Amino acid sequence: MMEFAATSQTGVAHKVNQDGYRLQRDEDGSYIAIVADGMGGHVAGEVASALAVEAIWQALITEREQDPDERLLRAVQAANAVIFQRAQEDPACAGMGTTIVVVIADESNLHIAHVGDSRAYLCRQGELQALTSDHSYVNELVRRGQLAPEKAHAHPQRNLLLRSLGTLPEVQVEYTRFEWSEGDLLLLCSDGLTNPLTDAQIATIVSVKQELSLRVHHLVQAAVAAGGRDDITAALLANGEASQRRDGE
Ligand code: CA
């Protein structure tokens, strides 16, 4: 038994929401969660993220017999081809791209593929643990020890990605697997959530024992209150019945 909720809000800096998401139980009993954060002029970012979510969803539900890692890599690569081709054919979409984070979850495992800086986190007993590492210039500086992690939030080039989906004919996809168990929470989100909020702030909101739909709304509200102007997307999947539990149980 799992519960889930997701929401997305257009940032005040944008006319349309360039984030896309889908979170749904698949026929085979697993859960599929996808968050994409599109980029490109005018409506192109919205097109890229919508194409990515749809192409990945369709690829995953039509290719269930492969191992999860292969299934995810093929789905993300298929989405890359769809977006890249559209960008070649439609001048309004030239140069568009998107981040992607996609998870296939069952009660024991999280299979995660990502490109760019949309993130997956595990929340266990009130502690937030990053499951993905951003493919961004700033994160590369942090990894090399050239930038303190606490300064990454405010770096002027924090939006510069080293990888994105749909901008080149081929894409390098990162796959990881984590074990999780009952009581754990999975959070997928765009940088509209993680730029204005600290991990500690996110962990506090995500851990409040209330319905998941309220938790994702409170995440968005907190990001806006902290000055977030970007599109904000948050998707939560609970291993077990999160909203039924009360403190002390
Ligand atoms: Ca964004």
Side-chain angles (χ1 to χ4, degrees), residues 93-244:
C93 292
M96 71 176 174
T98 183
T99 70
I100 197 75
V101 58
V102 49
V103 178
I104 301 173
D106 58 35
E107 286 169 358
S108 311
N109 290 292
L110 296 169
H111 300 276
I112 305 166
H114 86 287
V115 176
D117 66 356
S118 294
R119 296 180 183 169
Y121 288 96
L122 185 72
C123 189
R124 176 173 286 167
Q125 293 171 340
E127 295 284 324
L128 209 61
Q129 178 190 350
L131 303 181
T132 52
S133 178
D134 295 350
H135 303 132
S136 68
Y137 174 69
V138 161
N139 193 39
E140 191 60 29
L141 292 181
V142 172
R143 269 195 283 211
R144 290 182 189 176
Q146 294 168 353
L147 181 71
E150 61 274 16
K151 291 191 173 169
H153 274 281
H155 196 282
Q157 284 170 297
R158 64 181 176 275
N159 292 327
L160 186 60
L161 297 181
L162 299 182
R163 297 188 207 175
S164 59
L165 199 64
T167 44
L168 292 170
E170 301 290 333
V171 66
Q172 194 185 352
V173 184
E174 187 167 344
Y175 166 82
T176 39
R177 183 181 72 86
F178 282 85
E179 292 179 4
W180 72 331
S181 53
E182 190 166 356
D184 290 343
L185 286 157
L186 171 74
L187 169 67
L188 299 193
C189 57
S190 61
D191 68 342
L193 187 78
T194 51
N195 279 335
L197 297 178
T198 64
D199 284 5
Q201 289 171 314
I202 292 170
T204 299
I205 296 166
V206 163
S207 304
V208 173
K209 295 280 189 278
Q210 58 186 358
E211 289 191 17
L212 295 185
S213 59
L214 289 172
R215 298 187 216 187
V216 292
H217 280 291
H218 289 158
L219 283 171
V220 169
Q221 285 174 348
V224 171
R229 296 173 54 80
D230 196 3
D231 307 321
I232 305 162
T233 302
L236 272 177
L237 179 66
N239 193 329
E241 294 180 39
S243 57
Q244 301 304 314

Side-chain angles (χ1 to χ4, degrees), residues 15-38:
K15 284 200 176 69
V16 292
N17 193 338
Q18 299 194 322
D19 287 357
Y21 71 95
R22 187 158 183 172
L23 177 47
Q24 201 170 322
R25 186 177 187 271
D26 191 10
E27 280 176 13
D28 67 2
S30 66
Y31 290 76
I32 296 172
I34 311 169
V35 167
D37 177 356

